[in-house]
Amino acid sequence: MKLPNVLLLAVGTALFILPVSLGLLGTWLPALGYLPGMSDGLSSQPLLAVLAHPSTWTSVKLSVSSALFVTVCSLVFSQWLCMNLYHRRIWPLLKHSIAPLLAIPHLAFAIGLVFLISPSGWLMRLLSPGITGFDIPPDWLIVNDNYALSLSIGLFLKETPFLLLMSLAAMSRFDHGKTLQIAATLKYSHRQAWRKLIFPQMYAQLRLPLFAVLSYSLSVVDVSTVLGPNTPATFAVLIHQWFNHTDISYRLLGAVGASMLLLIVVGLIAVFYAAELVVKKTTQNWLVAGPKISPKSSGFEVVLAKLSLTIMIAVTLLCIAALAVWSFSRLWRFPDALPTLWSVEYWQKSWQQLLEPLQNTAIIGVSSALIAVFICVLVLEWQSKRSQLPRGGWWIWVIYLPILVPQVSFLFGIQVLMVRFHLEGTLASVIWVHILFVFPYAYLTLAQVYLQFDARYLQQGAILCQSKWRAFVYIKIPMLFKPLAFSGAIAFAVSVAQYLPTLYVGAGRVNTVTLESVVLAGGSDSRISAVFALWQFILPLVVYIAALVIPQFVYRNRRGL
Amino acid sequence: MLAQDKKIFTLNKLQLYHREQALFPPVSVQLQAGELLVVMGPSGCGKSSLLAAIAGTLAPELSISGSICLAGQSLQALPIERRGIGLQYQHDLLFPHLDVGGNLLFAVPRGANQQRQNAVAQALISADLAGFAQRDVATLSGGQRARVSLLRTLLAKPKLLLLDEPFSRLDADLRQDFRSFVFEQIAAMSIPALLVSHDPQDCPANHYYALAEGKMMTLEKL
């Protein structure tokens, strides 16, 4: 009985800790000047080259400032929305808008945002020439601006729903409703109670997701290529450019940059921890200073919160709408609000280009999602058998590891190893690397429901079926079908969205819709770019809908499920 | 007349409705300072909703008729935080990010720091918990948690105490202990209290208000 448990733990380690560590090592050694076949001895040359490179510091500054902006703003904004909209009539809208907002892939959203806000974008077309007086698009740098503002805003709009989802999950971990009632009877206003009681209890659950947002915004490459600055690019993109430089000696620079980026992430996480400690220390007295008879709130802030939520949802919908309009347009001259000629030509054209990437995306997505959910069930089943669940602490960090470590910081190392053992460029290896990033999300969506499953059902089942295994298959799995399907859908969506892992491990031979979208986003034809971005959105959407509809159909006569 | 003034809490023909359907017969009761009324009834008869109506936390799908008066003031129009009511649930709801002292201090009205600290220290002594101020609430026993929770409610100086099955989560001997603690505190504070329960042992006197029947009843001794 003991042996399989240890084995499972070992498999987990081998699946996640080992690849990440090997990848990191395979990046650190070249950073120190050791890359077999290129340079053998340790040297500080690459490090010095990176430090002396004219783009390095501007890039780092851009990345750090935009990542901090995104992390802090999406945290503050999501908490502010929760505080002001909780139990208002708009609250269900907030709850229900999160999943669709999250379902839109970052990249498709970014491309849609470009079509919306760029100088020749939809907004400008709607305002021109009537309000702006422009007959040709103005020569403004709105997207790809030098301060990474459009990148920051794009990421902020995408990360806020994620933190909202995490906040709702955190709120479900304690009785927030009764806590607010108690606070009210102790004469606290809703806002005071939220700040002093609800947020401090939520933050412990929000910490890791917040770090994930931080790491993601620091290290994102695909969205940054579309929305971010070019001269120079953000640091992650610069590293990516070094890795792919025609002069292969630049790979050493890339390795140094990748290691620096990891240090920056670790450093900023340390800063967040320190800030948390300082805030805890300085608010100690304020927390227990007693209720203040506050003047009745004017409700202005609530109105503002409602408006902000509406705008956030509207902008996201407009991005998708912009993609849709472009994809069906044939001729769309600048100040016109809508195309003058419509056509499905580009959708038809996309089929010829799309068949292979579409197939690849589907195969990789479905396989990695199925395998990831399967491993999740194994791990969770093992966890649910223990009385002492390794829930918090080190275990959750292991799960989060592939999300917290910037992809660009260890994918190069994995690529080097794969090339060395001739494993690169196959579907199987791409599926393997996707599992690494897909698993954490599958696990995090499934864990709570799975571990809360009432073991008595299983005991009853085991008694009736005379077999634990059959009880598991006929009782537990069907009862958990809904969350399992949802977790699989999330996993599929995460897989579809992967850019760097596919690129580095696929070695250019495994093309997916996402890779194609990035290439086309840099091209000159908006119409084909819009079609591909929409495909990137449609694939996960179809799977999400299937994951919602199929269980509902199967259990249409079962209200208890 | 004087006797009438002492009745500081009155419910007059109070009824709750769910989709036009009354949950229980009209409730008319009067309580004076230090008086405890136990409300009993089968589960689902609206005991908790009655407390929620008084506290101001009633679910929006329930409607209300009749009147609730505390110290000569109608409560219906007031938000929860202005009703001056203490609410005690079966779950202690201690705030896990604050220590014992912090949880208590949280409830003490604003004022001079020293005075507030003294109030907390006094309260802890009264509950045999002197020296517990710095303790993490997660390290307390069930009985200790229950007492801290009640102290917190009382430190806010409520004019009426509502108790929603406060003993049901405690095991038998702790329950007896905490019960006498609650009754002592109510007497010491000299405020009216309404206790909702389904356990006859929760009645300090022999009578209780039967919500489903709509009248006072006397416990039948076995």
Side-chain angles (χ1 to χ4, degrees), chain A residues 172-230:
Chain A
S172 72
R173 301 285 281 266
F174 64 100
D175 198 338
H176 55 277
K178 284 219 167 98
T179 302
L180 284 169
Q181 285 179 9
I182 292 288
T185 63
L186 299 176
K187 303 188 180 69
Y188 282 83
S189 69
H190 174 76
R191 306 164 54 77
Q192 285 177 319
W194 198 276
R195 289 189 195 142
K196 293 185 175 186
L197 297 180
I198 305 295
F199 178 67
Q201 290 190 61
M202 265 162 67
Y203 186 74
Q205 310 291 329
L206 288 181
R207 204 184 286 126
L208 277 172
L210 194 67
F211 294 164
V213 170
L214 179 71
S215 168
Y216 178 80
S217 340
L218 265 172
S219 58
V220 64
V221 169
D222 50 357
V223 174
S224 192
T225 327
V226 174
L227 286 175
N230 293 324

Side-chain angles (χ1 to χ4, degrees), chain A residues 71-84 91 94 156 159-165 167 194 202 206 210:
Chain A
T71 315
V72 172
C73 289
S74 52
L75 175 70
V76 171
F77 185 59
S78 61
Q79 297 315 302
W80 180 73
L81 282 182
C82 283
M83 179 176 82
N84 280 298
W91 185 247
L94 182 145
F156 162 73
E159 296 312 321
T160 300
F162 172 67
L163 287 181
L164 281 174
L165 178 76
S167 304
W194 198 276
M202 265 162 67
L206 288 181
L210 194 67

Side-chain angles (χ1 to χ4, degrees), chain A residues 175 178-179 181-190 192 196-197 200-201 287-296, chain B residues 55 57 80-82 84-87 89 93 95-98 102-103 105-110 116 152-153 156-158:
Chain A
D175 198 338
K178 284 219 167 98
T179 302
Q181 285 179 9
I182 292 288
T185 63
L186 299 176
K187 303 188 180 69
Y188 282 83
S189 69
H190 174 76
Q192 285 177 319
K196 293 185 175 186
L197 297 180
Q201 290 190 61
L287 272 180
V288 296
K292 197 156 89 187
I293 306 299
S294 54
K296 223 169 155 21
Chain B
T57 61
I80 311 169
E81 59 267 31
R82 288 171 199 270
I85 277 169
L87 190 56
Y89 287 112
L93 288 164
F95 310 136
H97 60 299
L98 300 175
N103 264 279
L105 213 48
F106 188 85
V108 182
R110 294 210 165 200
R116 300 182 72 231
R152 188 178 67 189
T153 305
K157 299 227 188 315

Side-chain angles (χ1 to χ4, degrees), chain B residues 128-180:
Chain B
D128 291 328
L129 290 169
F132 273 63
Q134 316 285 320
R135 281 276 287 273
D136 180 1
V137 291
T139 64
L140 299 184
S141 72
Q144 289 166 337
R145 291 180 69 100
R147 274 182 284 165
V148 173
S149 179
L150 184 77
L151 291 180
R152 188 178 67 189
T153 305
L154 295 177
L155 276 170
K157 299 227 188 315
K159 289 180 272 186
L160 168 72
L161 181 62
L162 302 176
L163 303 125
D164 193 352
E165 309 217 15
F167 315 118
S168 60
R169 279 169 73 105
L170 299 171
D171 49 39
D173 31 333
L174 270 178
R175 194 179 295 187
Q176 194 46 51
D177 246 23
F178 184 54
R179 200 181 278 134
S180 9

